[in-house]
Amino acid sequence: MDRKLISLERFSFVSALLDVFYPRICEVCGSVLVEGENYLCTSCLADFPFVDEDFVIDRNILDSFNENFRPKALHALFYYNKYSDYKNLIYNVKYHSNRKLGEYLGRMLGQKIIHSCRADCVVPIPLHPKRERERGFNQAREIAKGVCEVLDIELLDKVVERIRNNVSQTGKNASERLENVSEIFGLRHPELLRGRHVLLLDDVITTGATVGACIETLAVAGDVCFSLACLARTV
């Protein structure tokens, strides 16, 4: 028998065995996935709360940025609601180290914006080195990998760094968020940004304070325009 065929049969057997003892489950509702389903069951995928890109709240956020480097667009995959089970997608990427889920959702985002995004590179919002060591990875970078794969554009993950380990934005009001992200980023390799249209990417965008602080840092490179992207927009 052909060795490749034997290897394939062994792989199929092992996969079937793993599915019995460690079944794959939906990242949203926790139900067992069936063949052909990946990360999301058919029911949760059918009810997926995709963002309407014409939603007026997105325009309001964009208008809040400094007009000298105001983003051209805000792209998002789905609405974030803390009372919805779809919040599990963010939690499982961010706090349960599900890097592959991050890439998968990044590909979903890429497919959603492939005809509307005009950026030629993606810059993920960086974590402070200490926080990245604790978590083991930067969730924004994993999401960005999936987006870049679909859009076929460059990933620039070394052009900005987090130089201050600020506390989480969770639970802060708008003014506290702005103060919390003041001067937390530093620019590296500005020559890689000059003349580019940057898609600045984070996992969740609420008020835009964090991405706004990052834009101010990246804009120092000169002749840079921006669009924003995230997996989830809070409602």
Side-chain angles (χ1 to χ4, degrees), residues 164-228:
R164 185 165 65 83
N165 192 16
N166 62 311
V167 298
S168 172
Q169 295 279 70
T170 304
K172 296 185 180 299
N173 61 35
S175 61
E176 289 171 336
R177 285 172 177 265
L178 286 173
E179 183 178 356
N180 189 43
V181 297
S182 176
E183 300 180 347
I184 66 171
F185 296 109
L187 181 63
R188 302 174 61 194
H189 309 296
E191 70 280 2
L192 297 178
L193 292 167
R194 201 166 294 121
R196 308 292 294 271
H197 185 158
V198 172
L199 182 65
L200 188 60
L201 186 145
D202 206 357
D203 54 354
V204 179
I205 291 179
T206 302
T207 64
T210 301
V211 292
C214 195
I215 282 177
E216 290 187 18
T217 298
L218 295 173
V220 174
D223 191 25
V224 184
C225 64
F226 300 92
S227 290
L228 305 179

Side-chain angles (χ1 to χ4, degrees), residues 25-171:
I25 63 173
C26 175
E27 300 287 347
V28 174
C29 69
S31 63
V32 175
L33 297 177
V34 301
E35 187 176 355
E37 294 178 338
N38 292 303
Y39 299 105
L40 297 168
C41 68
T42 301
S43 177
C44 287
L45 192 57
D47 292 333
F48 201 86
F50 287 105
V51 161
D52 175 3
E53 291 203 16
D54 294 326
F55 194 41
V56 68
I57 194 170
D58 290 348
R59 186 68 255 171
N60 291 341
I61 284 186
L62 294 177
D63 288 343
S64 70
F65 286 88
N66 186 312
E67 63 180 359
N68 294 322
F69 33 77
R70 182 171 294 155
K72 305 291 185 183
L74 169 54
H75 306 285
L77 180 61
F78 68 97
Y79 292 116
Y80 178 90
N81 185 328
K82 65 180 180 180
Y83 301 109
S84 166
D85 286 340
Y86 287 91
K87 70 180 184 299
N88 295 335
L89 294 173
I90 298 297
Y91 289 175
N92 290 341
V93 173
K94 195 168 185 176
Y95 302 116
H96 296 162
S97 301
N98 198 333
R99 302 170 72 159
K100 291 299 183 182
L101 174 61
E103 288 189 45
Y104 171 81
L105 293 171
R107 289 192 293 272
M108 283 186 67
L109 175 58
Q111 291 289 352
K112 184 176 185 296
I113 68 176
I114 193 169
H115 298 300
S116 57
C117 181
R118 298 292 177 263
D120 56 42
C121 62
V122 177
V123 174
I125 294 287
L127 292 177
H128 188 272
K130 180 181 179 181
R131 189 172 299 179
E132 185 166 347
R133 284 193 299 269
E134 292 171 348
R135 186 169 294 169
F137 70 105
N138 176 11
Q139 70 277 1
R141 185 186 297 119
E142 302 307 311
I143 299 164
K145 288 178 183 177
V147 172
C148 289
E149 180 182 329
V150 173
L151 299 186
D152 193 25
I153 58 178
E154 187 176 7
L155 173 62
L156 298 177
D157 64 345
K158 303 295 184 184
V159 295
V160 63
E161 60 184 342
R162 207 151 187 150
I163 57 177
R164 185 165 65 83
N165 192 16
N166 62 311
V167 298
S168 172
Q169 295 279 70
T170 304

